[in-house]
């Protein structure tokens, strides 16, 4: 796991340290073992502990050190894939359940904040869906009608969003959305979980997950957690080799933040309908307000122009919010896009019935992660959930055969490109400090990174998940897999699955001393 000192970029939530706990030092047992201390894992742990379950949480980094601290934390029921699309794929009932569950998730976060007295700046506010220039004229009309059919009776059309400098034209207003500081929220959840007897172990990598009668998780340090049920909440499952990874795709997304005078931009959530879409919020960090603008998504590992994407985001922001000061923060992260617009929360397909997953968060992982907490708790304690069918990871993707085939052809194309293509550079000599690239050495491909002390670090460029060739992300200094979204830090250590092992040491590596990296 990359520590904050290692992060080349900083998000708005890194102003508070992520809670860190001691690693698991001995074998233990629990009712439920949860792998992953992001919003999905922590909410699930908290909800189960609140029901009297004995819970153990394992994370190889600190609490909330994954995508949860790279989010922009809009809490919304304005589905980013749009209700019209959801209705087409999941029917009216499915769209209604989606609206109901995301609304319930915001309510649940509000209730937890109140009950546990978590000081995380939670507030309710309106959200505005703005038609981008190239959007079909009737999209907002159709979306309004679909949102109302889904049960959101209070969504209305308004003549414009309340931003004087941004000529938005008519847009949809979604009332009672939310926002908060996700780092402070997770720190509060961790404290509340501990008060309820839950145990959290950080710096503890789950190497293997086994379900069934003697279910257990084994860590890389050789410790075992025995449990009646296991929840894998690692953002993308590390225990599912193929099934789920053909149903979702990893996208990188970019954010810039600039100072604005407090009160100069109306506090609300804003999204447009561009593809990829822009997302905007404000955050009061005590000194002033930050205007946070995100977008410019692309399939992970398949674009290498992060600097230009930041520049385009900044330009988009300046055209609409001319009062924005200098950009003070830039960061990026990854979201898992389910092909039918709905997360995968429930029993892991093809596994024992006591192994559960939460993934497919899309740009709605704050609410999807909270839905996971509610839904997985219901499943584990044996309560019926009205949402179980909609989010079932084993559901068939029957209504999007063309998109499904296209997405998997894209993955197949990566393999061809990987094995027939050359390297990014001819020799490691071409790498300046802070740069990484793939080299071809005979039949092998080598992921080479030169650190700021000039030392070269070489690994096999073959992703340990299913063998695609990783590419270097110059923004976050990570090795990203273009096939299913595995990410490795610049030293080859796995950060995000589905791969669950580091990049292999390169048998072709030059003999250079390896600096210790904490
Ligand atoms: C730039 C950006 C903007 C976003 N904006 C929004 C938004 O406005 N609203 C919204 O709702 N969502 C948004 N999202 C999505 C949202 O942030 C994520 O979906 C959400 O944070 C994912 O939470 P998680 O708990 O599933 O995963 P994570 O927070 O990534 O947690 C997974 C944890 O698992 C741990 N882990 C992984 N493998 C192992 C292992 N083998 N052993 C032990 N631990 C392991 C990791 O260390 C990590 O801490 C955004 C995402 C990004 C990147
Ligand atoms: S993530 Fe599947 S091959 Fe790399």
């Amino acid at each position: 796991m990359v520590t904050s000192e290692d992060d080349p970029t900083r998000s708005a939530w890194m102003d508070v340290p992520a809670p860190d706990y001691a690693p698991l030092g001995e074998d233990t047992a629990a009712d439920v073992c949860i792998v992953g201390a992001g919003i999905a894992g922590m909410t699930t742990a908290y909800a189960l502990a609140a029901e009297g379950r004995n819970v153990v949480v394992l994370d190889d980094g600190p609490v909330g050190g994954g995508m949860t601290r790279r989010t922009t934390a809009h809490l919304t029921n304005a589905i980013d894939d749009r209700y019209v699309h959801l209705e087409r794929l999941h029917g009216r009932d499915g769209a209604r359940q989606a609206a109901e569950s995301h609304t319930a998730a915001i309510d649940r976060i509000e209730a937890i904040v109140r009950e546990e007295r978590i000081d995380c700046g939670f507030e309710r506010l309106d959200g505005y869906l703005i038609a981008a220039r190239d959007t079909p004229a009737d999209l907002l009309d159709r979306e309004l009608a679909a949102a109302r059919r889904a049960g959101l009776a209070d969504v209305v059309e308004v003549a414009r969003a309340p931003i004087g400098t941004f000529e938005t034209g008519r847009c949809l207003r979604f009332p009672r959305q939310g926002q908060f500081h996700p780092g402070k929220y997770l720190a509060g959840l961790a404290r509340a979980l501990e008060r309820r007897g839950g145990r959290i172990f950080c710096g503890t990598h789950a190497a293997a997950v086994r379900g069934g009668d003697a279910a257990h998780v084994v860590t890389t340090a050789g410790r075992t957690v025995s449990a009646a049920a296991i929840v894998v909440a690692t953002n993308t499952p590390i225990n599912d080799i193929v099934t789920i990874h053909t149903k979702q795709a990893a996208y990188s997304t970019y954010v810039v933040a600039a100072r604005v005078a407090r009160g100069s931009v109306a506090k609300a959530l804003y999204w447009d309908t561009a593809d990829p879409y822009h997302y905007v919020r404000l955050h009061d960090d005590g000194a002033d307000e930050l205007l946070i603008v995100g977008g410019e998504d692309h399939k992970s590992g398949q674009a290498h122009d992060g600097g230009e994407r930041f520049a385009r985001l900044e330009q988009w922001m300046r055209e609409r919010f001319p009062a924005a000061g200098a950009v003070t923060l830039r960061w990026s992260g990854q979201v898992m896009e389910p092909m039918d617009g709905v997360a995968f929360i429930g029993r892991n397909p093809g596994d024992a019935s006591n192994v559960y997953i939460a993934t497919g968060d899309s740009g709605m992982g704050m609410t999807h992660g909270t839905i996971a907490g509610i839904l997985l708790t219901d499943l584990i304690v044996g309560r019926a959930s009205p949402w179980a069918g909609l989010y079932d990871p084993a559901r068939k993707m029957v209504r999007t055969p063309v998109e499904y085939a296209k997405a998997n052809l894209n993955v197949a194309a990566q393999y061809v490109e990987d094995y027939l293509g050359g390297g990014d550079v001819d020799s490691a000599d071409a790498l300046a400090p802070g740069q990484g690239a793939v080299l071809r050495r005979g039949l092998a491909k080598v992921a080479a990174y030169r650190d700021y002390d000039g030392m070269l670090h070489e690994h096999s460029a073959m992703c340990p998940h299913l063998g695609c060739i990783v590419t270097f992300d110059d923004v976050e200094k990570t090795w990203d897999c273009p096939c299913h979204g595995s990410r490795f830090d610049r030293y080859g250590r796995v950060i995000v699955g589905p791969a669950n092992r580091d990049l292999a040491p390169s048998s072709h590596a030059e003999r250079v001393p390896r600096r210790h990296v904490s």
Side-chain angles (χ1 to χ4, degrees):
M1 167 53 55
V2 182
T3 64
S4 60
E5 294 75 33
D6 288 334
D7 287 322
T9 63
R10 291 193 69 73
S11 80
W13 326 118
M14 294 179 187
D15 58 337
V16 295
D20 214 350
Y21 292 82
L24 179 65
E26 57 188 5
D27 293 353
T28 190
D31 294 331
V32 186
C33 177
I34 292 165
V35 183
I39 191 163
M42 289 302 292
T43 311
T44 307
Y46 170 81
L48 284 162
E51 301 244 7
R53 296 300 192 273
N54 177 355
V55 178
V56 161
V57 181
L58 308 178
D59 198 298
D60 60 6
V63 171
M67 288 308 135
T68 299
R69 78 170 172 172
R70 300 193 152 266
T71 185
T72 51
H74 296 58
L75 306 175
T76 178
N77 58 13
I79 303 287
D80 63 358
D81 271 344
R82 307 279 85 87
Y83 280 102
V84 266
H85 186 57
L86 235 55
E87 204 177 60
R88 187 167 61 81
L89 297 178
H90 300 278
R92 285 197 186 180
D93 278 352
R96 180 174 284 277
Q97 285 162 14
E100 183 185 278
S101 53
H102 285 278
T103 306
I106 307 172
D107 292 346
R108 178 61 64 94
I109 291 170
E110 184 174 38
I112 293 173
V113 166
R114 195 180 318 116
E115 193 175 329
E116 304 295 346
R117 298 199 172 88
I118 301 176
D119 180 11
C120 61
F122 175 89
E123 58 190 316
R124 292 279 188 171
L125 69 182
D126 289 339
Y128 292 88
L129 180 64
I130 298 163
R133 283 176 198 137
D134 54 353
T135 305
D138 65 342
L139 180 77
L140 287 186
D141 299 330
R142 289 189 288 121
E143 183 61 7
L144 176 61
R148 292 246 176 99
R149 282 193 296 274
L152 300 182
D154 47 6
V155 178
V156 291
E157 183 188 316
V158 293
R160 57 175 296 155
I163 316 165
T165 52
F166 183 1
E167 202 47 67
T168 61
R170 66 195 185 93
C171 46
L172 301 186
R173 185 176 70 211
F174 289 74
R176 289 186 57 72
Q177 311 297 291
Q179 66 175 23
F180 64 0
H181 185 306
K184 292 183 179 175
Y185 178 67
L186 278 218
L189 266 188
R191 287 191 298 272
L193 174 62
E194 280 194 295
R195 281 196 296 274
R196 290 169 190 268
R199 289 172 289 156
I200 306 169
F201 299 97
C202 293
T204 303
H205 184 85
V209 173
R210 299 274 176 269
D213 289 343
H216 61 277
V217 176
V218 184
T219 74
T220 38
R223 309 293 175 214
T224 299
V225 182
S226 309
I230 298 170
V231 174
V232 177
T234 49
N235 194 230
T236 188
I238 45 121
N239 57 328
D240 180 305
I241 304 302
V242 177
T243 313
I244 290 296
H245 310 295
T246 63
K247 298 181 180 185
Q248 65 182 11
Y251 281 79
S252 294
T253 180
Y254 297 79
V255 182
V256 295
R259 296 219 160 271
V260 287
R262 191 175 278 122
S264 62
V265 176
K267 194 179 274 182
L269 307 181
Y270 303 98
W271 316 270
D272 70 12
T273 57
D275 184 17
Y277 69 96
H278 298 94
Y279 45 98
V280 180
R281 68 167 278 189
L282 289 145
H283 166 58
D284 192 330
D285 66 357
D288 220 329
E289 272 187 323
L290 277 179
L291 178 67
I292 299 175
V293 176
E296 289 289 335
D297 306 14
H298 63 80
K299 269 201 96 175
S300 289
Q302 297 189 18
H304 306 96
D305 55 354
E308 289 159 40
R309 287 172 194 268
F310 281 133
R312 282 200 295 273
L313 266 186
E314 184 174 345
Q315 186 186 347
W316 186 93
M317 174 183 74
R318 298 214 175 283
E319 283 167 12
R320 288 152 185 88
F321 303 93
V327 167
T328 54
L329 294 170
R330 306 190 314 173
W331 73 90
S332 70
Q334 183 166 284
V335 295
M336 304 305 302
E337 286 294 344
M339 282 176 205
D340 63 358
V342 173
F344 302 102
I345 303 168
R347 293 196 167 84
N348 188 32
D351 213 328
S353 61
N354 56 351
V355 180
Y356 302 82
I357 55 171
T359 188
D361 47 22
S362 68
M364 304 194 64
M366 297 289 106
T367 40
H368 269 143
T370 307
I371 293 167
I374 302 170
L375 174 47
L376 294 179
T377 299
D378 282 348
L379 295 180
I380 290 169
V381 305
R383 259 192 316 258
S385 167
W387 311 328
L390 178 67
Y391 292 106
D392 184 358
R395 68 181 181 267
K396 293 260 181 305
M397 314 293 278
V398 284
R399 303 217 190 161
T400 52
V402 175
E403 287 149 59
Y404 185 73
K406 257 172 44 191
N408 286 300
L409 277 173
N410 173 288
V411 171
Q414 297 308 315
Y415 282 99
V416 175
E417 162 111 9
D418 288 351
Y419 287 96
L420 297 184
D424 304 335
V425 293
D426 293 335
S427 153
D429 295 343
L431 294 175
Q435 279 186 342
V438 172
L439 319 173
R440 181 180 269 287
R441 292 227 180 97
L443 289 178
K445 290 217 169 171
V446 175
Y449 169 72
R450 190 177 297 285
D451 70 22
Y452 289 102
D453 294 334
M455 272 195 278
L456 194 62
H457 303 263
E458 295 197 342
H459 293 87
S460 164
M462 191 187 288
C463 173
H465 175 226
L466 292 175
C468 283
I469 298 298
V470 297
T471 65
F472 192 67
D473 172 7
D474 207 35
V475 170
E476 301 296 346
K477 310 285 182 206
T478 51
W479 295 103
D480 298 354
C481 182
C483 286
H484 314 103
S486 291
R487 292 187 127 184
F488 308 83
D489 74 8
R490 61 196 108 156
Y491 307 109
R493 296 170 300 188
V494 65
I495 310 170
V496 178
N500 199 25
R501 281 183 287 129
D502 299 344
L503 293 177
S506 168
S507 50
H508 296 267
E510 291 169 19
R511 289 198 162 273
V512 289
R514 254 202 89 167
R515 214 172 103 226
H516 172 72
V517 184
S518 60

